[in-house]
Amino acid sequence: TLQYLLFWGMESGLLLLRERNRSLWGRLMAAPVPLWAVLAGKAVSTATIAFGLVLATFGFGRLAFGVSVGGSWVGFVLLAVAASTLAAATGLLVAAVGGTEA
């Protein structure tokens, strides 16, 4: 699941680069919205989708294969949130460091 989330984060970062190359960022910056709000929106949406993927993966594992959480459910949710945040941060890092999609 973590490997898939990192690929998801990388893909979201490449999507940000595609949006920048298509001049979507110029239109976003023309709106009366601060840059931090746009970046936070991208990060939160990526992390939310990643969290949903973690829940879907473990939900399917539980139904199909009887996978269970051996420890605390709170700990599981916190680790899922941390992994989802890592995916979002990876996407922002790819977009910040990468000049082009190639």
Side-chain angles (χ1 to χ4, degrees), residues 24-101:
L24 179 67
W25 280 96
R27 286 180 265 158
L28 284 174
M29 293 299 102
V33 179
L35 177 62
W36 66 267
V38 174
L39 291 176
K42 295 284 186 182
V44 167
S45 65
T46 299
T48 303
I49 292 170
F51 185 74
L53 291 171
V54 170
L55 294 182
T57 301
F58 278 92
F60 179 79
R62 182 164 176 84
L63 293 175
F65 303 110
V67 174
S68 64
V69 176
S72 167
W73 279 97
V74 174
F76 173 76
V77 170
L78 288 176
L79 282 175
V81 168
S84 302
T85 305
L86 173 68
T90 301
L92 290 177
L93 177 69
V94 167
V97 173
T100 64
E101 189 177 353

